[in-house]
Amino acid sequence: MHVPDGFIDLPVSAATGVVAAAAVAVSLRGARRELDERTAPLAGLVAAFVFAVQMLNFPVAAGTSGHLLGGALAAILVGPYTGVLCISVVLLMQGILFADGGLTALGVNITDMAVVTTVVAYALFRGLVRVLPRTRRSVTVASFAAALVSVPAAALAFTALYAIGGTSDVPLGKTLAAMVGVHLLIGIGEAAITAFTVGAVIAVRPDLVYGARGLTAPLKLRVGGELVDAAPASAPAAPGPARSARRVWAAGLVTALVLAGFVSFYASADPDGLEKVAADQGIDKKTEQHHTADSPLADYGVKDISDARISGGLAGVIGVGATVAVGSGVFWAVRRRRTAAAGVSVPPETA
């Protein structure tokens, strides 16, 4: 789904750049309400995890692969505003360091992959958890459905942008059918990864999952033949110990490093959904060379290292490290702004 330079003309690219900048600005303000002592440390990790899993292309049809977009996963784990920022950080790292996704198309990619997927997924997720039973399993089911829908929604958004500013004359009806069709298949993989990850975190630390807050049914006791709440409804759920949160963070980081540094070598080499449709429909006729094509990490390999396994693995590890560093820095700064605006002094260990 990473749109390269040359697919969309400059006026529409510039317009989506304005939209993306506005969305990021709104998200920076909104993230102040979402980032607390639980979600702030997790947000940088979520960005790094999405980066790592995006390296794992999985086959979806003959000669076509797909990979995680991550908008649904990020929104459910750390909140929709913070989710937009997470995916934006990932796209920025990929575009600058790895020549993946055009720089003039960065606004297109953020609008499509960060904003559309997050907004669609979280809106559907919140609607489902309101009508489903208030259980952790319902959160996982809602996560699956939200992620599934978010991917073809992004494909639909790209087709709409291409209809306005596409640089090649292609049959839009066929392009729309091909984009939505293949990305619906990719959405199944996205849904499985999202549901598995959300379920795994809920099983260990449900208080760390933004979308699961307040959804677990209160404990009931039978008194005199009637069910009553075991605790006042207003009593907040006690968060897990700090050591447990650090273990979750460490486990997540190790998982991201293993996925990017080792498992990515076994990912499918087939073109992803957008690349396949672009080649079949002629969308890629005016593709431009990436501005950082000579980057030492271009195409997810380290320059001058001939062994593909070592080169790709090292590039993945560097990418995870850079993403978690930049993401954590951004979210730490946002968290500090929230604390400063509230006039609250944060202990050093909490910061």
Side-chain angles (χ1 to χ4, degrees):
M1 186 64 77
H2 293 75
V3 179
D5 295 318
F7 274 26
I8 307 293
D9 62 26
L10 288 179
V12 174
S13 296
T16 54
V18 173
V19 172
V24 169
V26 171
S27 297
L28 285 169
R29 293 183 63 87
R32 296 182 193 176
R33 300 189 298 271
E34 296 173 348
L35 293 172
D36 54 23
E37 65 278 1
R38 292 174 289 178
T39 54
L42 186 63
L45 175 62
V46 169
F49 183 79
V50 169
F51 172 90
V53 180
Q54 283 196 2
M55 294 182 66
L56 309 179
N57 280 47
F58 48 86
V60 294
T64 309
S65 69
H67 63 71
L68 182 82
L69 296 186
L73 177 62
I76 294 166
L77 287 179
V78 292
Y81 293 108
T82 308
V84 170
L85 298 179
C86 283
I87 307 302
S88 298
V89 168
V90 172
L91 293 170
L92 185 63
M93 293 294 98
Q94 290 170 332
I96 294 176
L97 297 180
F98 299 94
D100 187 12
L103 294 185
T104 60
L106 184 60
V108 174
N109 285 320
I110 289 178
T111 301
D112 195 23
M113 295 177 64
V115 179
V116 171
T117 59
T118 300
V119 171
V120 170
Y122 198 73
L124 178 57
F125 173 81
R126 294 307 306 177
L128 288 174
V129 295
R130 287 176 181 173
V131 299
L132 292 173
R134 297 166 62 87
T135 64
R136 297 175 185 177
R137 180 174 296 180
S138 295
V139 175
T140 304
V141 171
S143 300
F144 185 95
L148 175 63
V149 173
S150 69
V151 179
L156 180 62
F158 166 78
T159 307
L161 289 173
Y162 197 85
I164 300 172
T167 55
S168 299
D169 186 14
V170 299
L172 291 176
K174 291 183 178 179
T175 301
L176 174 62
M179 282 291 293
V180 174
V182 71
H183 284 90
L184 183 60
L185 296 176
I186 294 172
I188 297 174
E190 175 105 10
I193 295 170
T194 300
F196 176 82
T197 305
V198 171
V201 179
I202 286 180
V204 179
R205 284 291 302 273
D207 61 297
L208 293 179
V209 179
Y210 183 89
R213 295 182 182 179
L215 295 177
T216 303
L219 178 63
K220 299 283 187 178
L221 296 177
R222 186 173 296 277
V223 179
E226 295 183 359
L227 291 177
V228 298
D229 290 339
S234 59
R243 180 176 298 178
S244 175
R246 287 195 294 268
R247 288 177 178 174
V248 171
W249 194 94
L253 180 60
V254 169
T255 301
L257 290 171
V258 170
L259 292 176
F262 176 73
V263 180
S264 62
F265 180 77
Y266 301 96
S268 173
D270 291 332
D272 65 24
L274 177 60
E275 291 171 335
K276 178 65 173 176
V277 173
D280 290 345
Q281 302 297 327
I283 294 176
D284 60 354
K285 292 178 181 179
K286 297 185 179 181
T287 303
E288 300 174 2
Q289 184 180 24
H290 200 282
H291 292 81
T292 62
D294 57 349
S295 165
L297 297 174
D299 297 323
Y300 297 93
V302 178
K303 191 176 182 180
D304 298 329
I305 295 182
S306 57
D307 188 293
R309 187 189 299 271
I310 297 176
S311 177
L314 184 57
V317 169
I318 293 172
V320 169
T323 304
V324 75
V326 172
S328 297
V330 169
F331 299 124
W332 178 83
V334 173
R335 171 68 176 151
R336 293 279 295 182
R337 287 288 300 272
R338 167 182 169 168
T339 303
V344 178
S345 176
V346 179
E349 63 273 13
T350 303

